[in-house]
Amino acid sequence: MRLRELVFGAACAAAVRAAVRLGVPDALDDSPMTVDDLATAVKTQPHTLRRLLRALSCQGVFTENPDGTFEHTDMSRLLREDDPHSLRYIALWCTEPWTWNVWPRLDEAVRTGGNVFEEVYEQEFFTYLNESAPESAHVFNRAMTTSSEQSARDVARMLDLDDAGSVVDIGGGQGHVLASLLEKHPHLRGTLLDLPGVVENADPRLRDGGALADRARIVAGDCREDVPVEADVYIIKNVLEWDDDSTRRVLAAIRRSARTDARVVVIENLVDDTPSMRFTTAMDLLLLLNVGGAKHTRQSMVDRLTKAGLVIGEIRPVNAYLHAFECTVPAT
């Protein structure tokens, strides 16, 4: 029966997506509701909405009461727009239309070792999002923002920067990690480095007029080509999951810029030695399909950092799905 459940996994993912797109988690408040009332609120047929809710209740998303009403569970609340830990956009992103077209070709990706996205859509992944699928691009951006905001708080709690004067967030997206670090450490100055089209949407706290702008610098650039910043601490989070050549180039760029004894903190999902294996291994396969990238094992990350000439110190969890590799730059 477990195998039967696994091969019907797409139905579960589709049910979560349907509930979010219909607005069911937002319509259901703190009190139990009848299916008829919910159906009226989200403009669906009551009998088919009941079928959807029962399928989700079996998975712990919503719960059905003996009187036939439904109410929230801890998981279903995470699908609400207003929940402070909302996974609404991450749920939508992982079930976007393009995913249904590439997952069935996983065997081909495993056989060849490369992505299948470009063959299916005749465009590179991010080009497709930005030029051909604006709705999907919007969902992706919201999902990445959500993920970054949530993990930024964990990174700020974990990272000791009391003795550092400057930090650079490499490939830091909109700068949520950097902003969290500057808020926690009033003495710290920081730089956000990412592509021009990314940093133009940087966190308002970091931009001119923002609360942290006097201690923040925003630099547009490709970290695979150059890291034109000298700092006490270099942070690179969820970037070293491209192809090996890109990973090598990023680490080499850091080595060129960093002075002796600078700290380099690499933060990544791992596909071993982690309590979130089901999540990280699934993301690893999705990376293979869409860009030909990969999540790392602890050893594969150690190997790449060592080959780049970094000295690895402590390796520790940031949260249930991220690990931090603390490194230093040795004298040359």
Side-chain angles (χ1 to χ4, degrees):
M1 184 53 64
R2 177 59 182 149
L3 183 57
R4 291 174 187 268
E5 291 171 352
L6 283 174
V7 297
F8 270 98
C12 183
V16 172
R17 180 179 179 83
V20 171
R21 285 173 61 86
L22 289 169
V24 177
D26 297 300
L28 183 59
D29 209 340
D30 291 332
S31 300
M33 291 181 66
T34 67
V35 173
D36 286 345
D37 287 343
L38 264 178
T40 299
V42 300
K43 298 180 174 58
T44 65
Q45 296 297 317
H47 64 285
T48 46
L49 179 59
R50 182 183 295 277
R51 292 164 67 182
L52 177 67
L53 290 171
R54 280 181 169 168
L56 288 167
S57 295
C58 293
Q59 304 291 341
V61 183
F62 306 113
T63 187
E64 183 176 9
N65 297 315
D67 63 0
T69 60
F70 286 86
E71 62 182 302
H72 272 299
T73 62
D74 289 344
M75 276 203 291
S76 62
R77 288 186 186 280
L78 293 174
L79 298 175
R80 289 179 59 92
E81 182 97 43
D82 61 0
D83 190 274
H85 304 290
S86 178
L87 297 180
R88 171 189 174 87
Y89 283 97
I90 292 174
L92 289 174
W93 165 241
C94 292
T95 55
E96 276 296 282
W98 67 266
T99 63
W100 306 104
N101 290 330
V102 296
W103 276 120
R105 303 182 67 164
L106 181 58
D107 58 326
E108 179 182 335
V110 171
R111 186 180 301 112
T112 64
N115 82 74
V116 299
F117 188 94
E118 293 177 31
E119 184 178 338
V120 173
Y121 287 97
E122 298 182 343
Q123 284 181 296
E124 183 267 340
F125 180 68
F126 288 105
T127 301
Y128 168 81
L129 283 188
N130 293 312
E131 295 182 2
S132 303
E135 182 179 343
S136 191
H138 171 72
V139 170
F140 172 76
N141 290 333
R142 291 293 299 268
M144 295 304 102
T145 297
T146 296
S147 180
S148 181
E149 288 175 341
Q150 293 172 354
S151 61
R153 296 188 288 265
D154 295 327
V155 171
R157 280 193 292 268
M158 177 275 302
L159 203 55
D160 181 3
L161 296 179
D162 289 342
D163 295 331
S166 58
V167 60
V168 55
D169 189 3
I170 300 169
Q174 295 174 328
H176 299 299
V177 169
L178 180 62
S180 293
L181 292 173
L182 294 181
E183 286 183 334
K184 182 179 179 182
H185 302 279
H187 70 283
L188 197 64
R189 303 187 67 83
T191 301
L192 171 66
L193 171 66
D194 212 316
L195 296 171
V198 177
V199 297
E200 68 182 16
N201 296 311
D203 191 308
R205 291 172 291 177
L206 304 175
R207 300 201 302 261
D208 289 344
L212 303 171
D214 61 333
R215 293 188 286 126
R217 177 184 171 213
I218 297 175
V219 176
D222 186 342
C223 60
R224 292 171 294 185
E225 303 298 332
D226 190 24
V227 177
V229 184
E230 185 175 288
D232 297 325
V233 181
Y234 294 76
I235 297 173
I236 183 162
K237 174 179 167 291
N238 287 135
V239 172
L240 302 183
E241 50 192 35
W242 296 322
D243 58 276
D244 281 348
D245 181 61
S246 293
T247 295
R248 179 191 59 76
R249 291 165 60 195
V250 173
L251 293 174
I254 295 172
R255 283 297 313 272
R256 289 194 300 269
S257 297
R259 59 178 175 265
T260 299
D261 292 331
R263 291 167 62 191
V264 180
V265 183
V266 176
I267 301 172
E268 290 286 339
N269 306 113
L270 297 180
V271 289
D272 66 343
D273 192 24
T274 175
S276 58
M277 285 279 287
R278 291 181 181 177
F279 166 69
T280 57
T281 55
M283 286 299 298
D284 177 52
L285 294 178
L286 189 60
L287 271 173
L288 171 62
L289 288 166
N290 62 12
V291 295
K295 297 291 185 182
H296 291 283
T297 64
R298 178 183 290 242
Q299 189 59 52
S300 71
M301 193 75 259
V302 166
D303 291 344
R304 283 158 177 78
L305 296 174
T306 302
K307 189 173 182 179
L310 297 173
V311 177
I312 301 172
E314 187 177 10
I315 303 171
R316 51 183 169 151
V318 176
N319 55 29
Y321 55 91
L322 287 171
H323 277 69
F325 293 72
E326 283 268 6
C327 308
T328 54
V329 177
T332 54

